[in-house]
Amino acid sequence: MADSPEKPMRVAGADAERVKREALGISGRRKHHGRAAEPLKGRAKQPGTQQRVYRYRFYPTPEQAAQLERTFGACRWVYNEALALRTVAWEKHRVSVGFAETCRALTGWRRAVETSWLQDVSSTVLQQALRHLDGAFARFFKNSAKHPKQKTKRRSRNSATYVRTGFRWIEDTERPGTGVITLAKQTVPLDVRWSRPLPGGEVPLKLTVTRDRAGRYFVAVLTEERIVPLPPVFLPGGREPKAVGLDLGLASLVTLDDGTKLDHPRLLKKYATELAHHQKELHRRKKGSRNRNKARLKIARLYALISDVRRDMLDQLTTRLVRENQVLVVEDLPVANLLRPAVGKGRQRKARLNQAIKDAAWGELLRQLRYKCAWYGRTLVIVDRFFPSTRRCSSCHTKGPRLDVSVREWTCTNCGAVHDRDRNAAVNLRDEGMRLYWLVAAALPPGRVAPPVIKASELPEILLTS
């Protein structure tokens, strides 16, 4: 058996510093050169507080829009250049380049004559682009994401992040929670539409300015605040927490264990005719013309409308569920696996199914349930994906045969009970979720409350930590 080729060793120490300086053009550490390098530490969150993002729309002036356009382009260029630098450093020289080295390279890029236009953008904004790249590599090394890719002007999201030193905030004393925001490299404050106030007396930690495909500008404000948990909800006449089982589906978006069914809005199907009309109009226009750009904006605005309606609907639904119940039980749905494209026979049917799953936005619904349960003192129980919630009889717990998706009602062969497919699954999820909930609650020391998320696949770890 032939010996496997040895992997090239990583270059470190003085040799790595020489390669960075001579081959990659990364200058040495000039400040604090006598002190050993230490890993960067994130800002510690205040105890008892939660980080919350408030999103507002604003209308920039032509000068502000032009400056933001340059900022978006500079962030994209710095991200791509740093990605290429880190890739070349490893593939050609086996040298690891991190966030600190890319920051020193950024200083060289800003000083170079060819890229002196980077000085028109705040350095803190460009450093945040490097930090985003470093986070992408961290997720890649943890096998939770793919290798970072280059950003493009037409496909990537236009965004720029401003840390505390990159903007000026003056709170309005007459209307606490609102104020004046002035970004770095700008002199005129943003015209922000304050749809709701920020926490009074708090200074924003970070701002993220974005422009969507429809040309709308938004500013996302990150704050730290103390969110008061909601009062606990118990069943009438006792101290048992009120629980609800949620079965997510396509015929009905959500089915509760009491039989309540929330209809699927099917927004993509609702606007399919209008979308097809605008798509045909787009393909009839000449590439690069103004009329083609107008047709593209019509499509983008329609998709933005669909996204806003869907997000608002899910936000109202999840808020109501969290307010009315103490324990919420869902199934661990592998959304990414369900969206795998099909090949061969039946691929058109699978494509329509994938579109319906995307339109339902199960992942967004579960994401909102997670953070709202953590905010308001509720518990989200995630049952294992292999639990037979649909096939098990909720009356006698007999496991029946596998059911086709078209079967909406079935009769138990053991007890004769007639079940609605979705309601039966919701009842089984509630019973299994409460079993897991009491298992964790019994292992907790006196005075401690149940964690905000109980996942069946992580149950042994939760029991050990409790």
Side-chain angles (χ1 to χ4, degrees):
M1 181 177 179
D3 296 334
S4 59
E6 296 183 359
K7 294 183 179 180
M9 298 296 293
R10 174 174 173 265
V11 179
D15 294 337
E17 294 297 329
R18 179 181 55 81
V19 171
K20 292 176 185 178
R21 183 176 58 256
E22 298 177 0
L24 302 177
I26 301 176
S27 61
R29 298 174 61 223
R30 297 183 179 181
K31 293 184 178 181
H32 315 294
H33 60 275
R35 188 176 63 185
E38 298 179 357
L40 295 174
K41 296 181 180 180
R43 181 184 178 276
K45 189 177 69 171
Q46 296 295 328
T49 61
Q50 296 282 351
Q51 290 189 346
R52 189 170 184 174
V53 176
Y54 293 82
R55 187 167 175 259
Y56 304 96
R57 187 173 180 181
F58 72 95
Y59 296 84
T61 63
E63 293 77 11
Q64 289 175 334
Q67 200 278 332
L68 288 174
E69 180 70 25
R70 293 193 297 269
T71 302
F72 296 150
C75 291
R76 188 168 53 246
W77 186 90
V78 168
Y79 185 96
N80 294 339
E81 198 71 13
L83 174 59
L85 179 65
R86 295 180 66 153
T87 304
V88 170
W90 178 252
E91 292 181 352
K92 290 187 176 182
H93 307 285
R94 290 296 163 179
V95 173
S96 295
V97 175
F99 172 73
E101 288 85 354
T102 53
C103 284
R104 296 203 298 270
L106 173 62
T107 303
W109 297 335
R110 287 168 62 87
R111 291 176 178 175
V113 179
E114 300 82 2
T115 54
S116 59
W117 50 269
L118 290 175
Q119 298 180 8
D120 297 337
V121 180
S122 173
S123 60
T124 58
V125 179
L126 301 179
Q127 288 175 358
Q128 287 302 306
L130 298 178
R131 193 174 291 279
H132 293 163
L133 175 63
D134 194 60
F137 270 106
R139 292 187 292 272
F140 168 69
F141 294 141
K142 293 179 181 178
N143 294 327
S144 60
K146 295 182 179 180
H147 191 276
K149 296 181 179 180
Q150 295 236 341
K151 292 187 176 182
T152 61
K153 183 176 182 179
R154 298 187 181 276
R155 293 291 182 181
S156 302
R157 179 189 184 204
N158 291 317
S159 66
T161 302
Y162 295 79
V163 294
R164 187 63 193 89
T165 57
F167 64 92
R168 185 168 64 251
W169 161 259
I170 302 177
E171 188 172 5
D172 190 350
T173 56
E174 297 182 357
R175 299 174 57 195
T178 65
V180 175
I181 297 177
T182 307
L183 301 178
K185 300 291 184 177
Q186 295 185 6
T187 57
V188 181
L190 299 179
D191 182 14
V192 182
R193 303 303 165 91
W194 298 100
S195 55
R196 55 177 175 171
L198 295 170
E202 297 291 336
V203 179
L205 303 178
K206 190 184 297 184
L207 302 179
T208 301
V209 178
T210 58
R211 184 186 63 191
D212 62 6
R213 300 298 297 274
R216 304 179 301 175
Y217 289 84
F218 295 93
V219 56
V221 184
L222 176 65
T223 62
E224 270 189 6
E225 60 176 299
R226 299 183 183 276
I227 302 177
V228 180
L230 295 173
V233 182
F234 301 105
L235 292 175
R239 300 290 295 176
E240 183 178 354
K242 184 180 178 182
V244 61
L246 309 174
D247 180 66
L248 308 184
L250 296 178
S252 299
L253 181 61
V254 179
T255 303
L256 309 185
D257 54 54
D258 60 357
T260 303
K261 294 189 176 184
L262 305 175
D263 293 335
H264 193 321
R266 304 185 187 279
L267 296 173
L268 289 178
K269 184 178 180 179
K270 179 180 178 181
Y271 294 98
T273 304
E274 191 173 353
L275 280 172
H277 172 73
H278 291 323
Q279 290 284 1
K280 291 179 181 178
E281 182 183 0
L282 175 68
H283 288 288
R284 284 196 296 263
R285 304 306 178 191
K286 183 180 178 181
K287 289 187 177 181
S289 64
R290 292 186 177 182
N291 287 335
R292 185 180 177 87
N293 188 49
K294 291 178 183 178
R296 184 195 63 79
L297 281 177
K298 289 181 182 179
I299 298 174
R301 291 185 184 121
L302 187 54
Y303 273 116
L305 171 65
I306 294 173
S307 178
D308 292 343
V309 172
R310 182 189 294 122
R311 187 186 304 109
D312 182 67
M313 181 268 298
L314 292 178
D315 189 57
Q316 294 186 31
L317 170 62
T318 53
T319 299
R320 180 169 66 87
L321 291 173
V322 169
R323 288 184 180 275
E324 296 177 353
N325 302 279
Q326 184 66 28
V327 181
L328 298 93
V329 187
V330 296
E331 186 179 2
D332 187 11
L333 290 175
V335 181
N337 296 342
L338 294 175
L339 292 176
R340 287 178 179 174
V343 294
K345 187 178 180 180
R347 61 181 181 274
Q348 293 184 353
R349 181 184 178 186
K350 183 63 169 62
R352 292 192 295 269
L353 177 62
N354 290 352
Q355 186 182 41
I357 294 175
K358 292 178 182 179
D359 196 13
W362 291 339
E364 176 64 17
L365 191 149
L366 296 176
R367 186 191 70 86
Q368 292 189 14
L369 286 178
R370 269 180 175 267
Y371 76 77
K372 289 181 181 181
C373 286
W375 282 359
Y376 300 116
R378 301 301 194 236
T379 301
L380 178 66
V381 182
I382 303 177
V383 177
D384 190 79
R385 66 183 63 175
F386 299 108
F387 176 72
S389 58
T390 304
R391 301 165 56 186
R392 195 178 80 160
C393 175
S394 57
S395 301
C396 64
H397 297 173
T398 301
K399 184 177 178 181
R402 187 179 297 274
L403 300 176
D404 188 75
V405 181
S406 60
V407 178
R408 309 313 303 172
E409 288 187 358
W410 62 282
T411 303
C412 177
T413 57
N414 185 45
C415 65
V418 180
H419 297 294
D420 177 83
R421 177 195 184 99
D422 298 332
R423 183 184 180 183
N424 177 71
V427 173
N428 285 328
L429 288 174
R430 182 201 60 193
D431 296 342
E432 177 67 11
M434 290 306 297
R435 184 186 72 84
L436 299 176
Y437 175 83
W438 288 119
L439 187 63
V440 173
L444 293 173
R448 286 192 58 182
V449 297
V453 177
I454 299 176
K455 196 171 182 179
S457 59
E458 302 172 358
L459 194 59
E461 181 179 350
I462 296 176
L463 294 177
L464 289 176
T465 55
S466 61

